[in-house]
Amino acid sequence: LGGNSLLDACLFGTRTGQAIAAVMANAGKPNDMADASALTHALQKRQAFMDELLSGASKTDPSEPALANDLDEASDPDDSASPNNPYALMGQLGRLMEEAVAVRCNQSSIEKGLHGLDQLDADARQLRAHSGTAVLNQEVTAIMEVDNLLILARAVLNASLKRQESRGALYRSDYPQRDDERYLAHTMIDAKEVVSWQPVHIVDMPPEGRNY
């Protein structure tokens, strides 16, 4: 699994870099990126997010210590008295996902995980930076990482809930068998958390059960 993740990062990281380089190489040509409305909207949304994070610095109690810049010095993730700590929230999210979809899972554990994410989402909306400067602000980076991890966690849980079978690293105790008839497909999920399926293109090696 670790090897697969590394290959994914290399493949799609390379493709992303090549795509960005191609766009930049043509940036000076006429009519390039004529319709920049989507880009402008994304930029405005990100800037509003940053402004909201940094605005919290002016409301922070001066006696309140700034958040530590590394995990060793950060507050204990189990410390419920540290609501404005992205590292603590990451720890809570890790434990929630471990309980919901670790080695074994089922409908109950996944739904419980989704319910727990609702509370973590609410907590994440309260995160604010202690410094009003964005440059080299590791706290802002950590808050953005929490935001991204919550989105990814919800996608994983929703996709796992819809796939009523066991396949590869996904073992559902309520659906222990693989179901090629219904789920020999890539799981696709959009920003509205709607799950759809993309057929697998099989070339030379049809799928078979694991035999040891």
Side-chain angles (χ1 to χ4, degrees):
L1 293 175
N4 287 338
S5 299
L6 180 60
L7 289 174
D8 270 349
C10 291
L11 171 63
F12 292 105
T14 299
R15 287 185 175 182
T16 301
Q18 290 171 343
I20 292 172
V23 170
M24 295 301 294
N26 295 321
K29 295 183 178 180
N31 299 321
D32 183 64
M33 297 285 288
D35 182 11
S37 57
L39 183 61
T40 301
H41 176 71
L43 178 60
Q44 291 173 344
K45 184 177 179 181
R46 175 55 66 185
Q47 188 60 57
F49 178 78
M50 289 292 296
D51 291 343
E52 187 175 3
L53 285 186
L54 299 174
S55 69
S58 61
K59 305 172 186 176
T60 301
D61 184 348
S63 63
E64 183 179 353
L67 182 66
N69 284 336
D70 61 64
L71 287 169
D72 292 334
E73 299 178 9
S75 300
D76 185 346
D78 293 320
D79 183 6
S80 59
S82 304
N84 193 19
N85 187 330
Y87 297 114
L89 205 56
M90 285 187 205
Q92 294 170 22
L93 177 59
R95 290 191 295 276
L96 182 146
M97 293 299 286
E98 186 75 18
E99 294 172 1
V101 285
V103 178
R104 296 168 62 90
C105 63
N106 54 43
Q107 181 173 339
S108 176
S109 72
I110 296 171
E111 289 177 344
K112 184 178 179 181
L114 285 167
H115 180 71
L117 278 183
D118 292 337
Q119 181 58 53
L120 293 184
D121 278 332
D123 293 341
R125 300 289 78 78
Q126 305 304 314
L127 292 174
R128 296 293 183 272
H130 291 79
S131 169
T133 303
V135 178
L136 300 179
N137 191 330
Q138 293 186 355
E139 187 178 24
V140 168
T141 301
I143 293 173
M144 293 174 69
E145 287 177 350
V146 168
D147 190 60
N148 291 334
L149 286 170
L150 287 169
I151 293 172
L152 180 59
R154 193 171 292 278
V156 168
L157 290 177
N158 277 301
S160 300
L161 186 63
K162 291 292 185 180
R163 186 174 281 272
Q164 298 178 343
E165 64 157 3
S166 292
R167 183 184 298 272
L170 176 68
Y171 181 79
R172 288 192 53 166
S173 57
D174 47 351
Y175 296 98
Q177 301 301 318
R178 200 177 77 189
D179 186 351
D180 286 348
E181 184 175 342
R182 291 195 297 167
Y183 298 111
L184 186 58
H186 300 292
T187 310
M188 313 295 289
I189 186 166
D190 63 16
K192 296 181 179 180
E193 300 174 9
V194 176
V195 175
S196 58
W197 309 97
Q198 184 182 65
V200 173
H201 179 56
I202 299 172
V203 182
D204 297 320
M205 300 180 65
E208 296 181 0
R210 290 186 177 183
N211 297 310
Y212 299 99

